[in-house]
Amino acid sequence: MTMSLTRKLLMPALLASLIAPLSLAASASPDQRSDLKQQLFERAGIDQQTRDELKEARQDYRDSMMELRTEHREKVEEILGEDGQAALEKAKQEMREEQRAEQKAARDKRIQALFDKWELSDDTRDTLEQQREQFRSEAEALKAKEFESTEARREAWKELITTQRDALSEHLDEEQMKALGDAMRPQGRGGPQGGGHPHEGDKDEAHNDA
C-alpha cells in the first residue's frame, strides 16, 4: 500500500470517527440515526460547513475502502488463477458441509440424551421429531419467502416459533422445553446454557443448512 493511499484511508477515518453513530442508535433505522447525528452536531455546536466536510471525509473513506477491497480481490485472483480459485471454493464448501454434519450429529446427540434422561416413550420421541422436521420445513419456506418489511418477517418467525412451542407444550413441561431449546442451539452461540425457547436453535439450524 502506498503512503498516499495510507493517508487517504487514515485521515478520513479519523474525521469519520467523530460522526460514528451513538451506541444507543446501533439498531435504529437510517432516518433515526440521521436524526440522532444531527442532534449530536447541534449539541456540540458543529456548524453546517464542518458537517459537510465530515460528510465528505466519510464518503472519501468509503470510496478508499472500496478501492482497497477491489485491489485486494484482483490481487488474490491474480495469485490463485482460475484453477486455484475453484479449488479453494470447493474446499470451503466441503468444510462447510463437514461442519454442518458435525453440528447436526452433536445436536442430535444432545437431544437424544435429554430424551433418555426424561425416559420419553418411543411414540413421544417420534412425535417430537416430526414436529422438529415440520418446523425445519416451514422455516425453510419462511427463509425463501419475500416479505414487504422486516417487521412482517419478524412477525412470521414469531408466529412459527409460538405455534411450535404450543405443540411441544403438549408433551413437555416448561423446564424440559427450555432444556430442549438450549440443546438445539449451536455450540458457541449461547448454548447449551444460553437459555431460549425450543426451536429457536432450529431456526439457526434451518439457516445454516440452507
Side-chain angles (χ1 to χ4, degrees), residues 116-129:
D116 291 340
K117 177 181 177 182
W118 298 334
E119 298 181 346
L120 299 182
S121 67
D122 290 340
D123 288 343
T124 300
R125 294 181 187 225
D126 290 342
T127 299
L128 293 175
E129 184 60 29

Side-chain angles (χ1 to χ4, degrees), residues 100 103 107 140 143 186 189 201 203-210:
R100 288 171 184 156
Q103 290 175 344
R107 184 166 49 243
E140 288 291 346
K143 182 182 177 183
R189 296 181 60 183
K203 177 181 175 181
D204 292 326
E205 176 186 340
H207 281 261
N208 292 335
D209 289 346

Side-chain angles (χ1 to χ4, degrees), residues 110-159:
R110 294 194 299 271
I111 292 172
Q112 292 305 317
L114 286 177
F115 289 174
D116 291 340
K117 177 181 177 182
W118 298 334
E119 298 181 346
L120 299 182
S121 67
D122 290 340
D123 288 343
T124 300
R125 294 181 187 225
D126 290 342
T127 299
L128 293 175
E129 184 60 29
Q130 290 173 9
Q131 290 176 347
R132 182 183 174 199
E133 289 301 320
Q134 179 181 353
F135 177 89
R136 291 185 61 184
S137 177
E138 294 180 3
E140 288 291 346
L142 272 187
K143 182 182 177 183
K145 183 178 179 180
E146 294 186 3
F147 291 87
E148 295 181 356
S149 65
T150 301
E151 182 63 27
R153 177 181 291 275
R154 186 181 299 113
E155 286 300 317
W157 276 107
K158 182 178 178 180
E159 181 179 354

Side-chain angles (χ1 to χ4, degrees), residues 55-72:
K55 182 178 181 180
E56 182 178 354
R58 180 64 177 173
Q59 187 59 50
D60 287 344
Y61 172 72
R62 289 173 175 170
D63 292 344
S64 298
M65 291 303 297
M66 180 65 71
E67 178 182 346
L68 184 62
R69 285 194 293 269
T70 300
E71 291 178 359
H72 173 70

